[in-house]
Amino acid sequence: MRADGKGAGLKWTTDYGRSGECHDANGANNPPTKCDDNLAEGRTLLFWTVIRDGANGADEGTSDPMTAWTSGR
């Protein structure tokens, strides 16, 4: 929400072997980034957030991992 030169990301992995990342590096005063990954329904997903040095820099901090259950829309 404020200009600090950092990027935000969400990393995820599934219980069936897929993994990925969604990152928001479009600046502080822009709408949030939306990512749309086609995940299998009825499965578990482990995800955590990261703070980056700039848009493509190294991870500087991570949250604790969280678990979610995928369901249909």
Side-chain angles (χ1 to χ4, degrees), residues 15-68:
D15 63 348
Y16 57 95
R18 284 190 59 199
S19 63
E21 182 176 322
C22 177
H23 64 273
D24 186 346
N26 64 359
N29 295 317
N30 291 300
T33 298
K34 294 181 181 180
C35 298
D36 187 7
D37 288 288
N38 189 12
L39 301 173
E41 295 178 14
R43 304 300 294 258
T44 56
L45 175 72
L46 184 69
F47 65 97
W48 58 98
T49 58
V50 297
I51 298 171
R52 289 228 169 88
D53 181 19
N56 298 308
D59 293 353
E60 291 186 340
T62 63
S63 71
D64 290 334
M66 295 161 264
T67 304

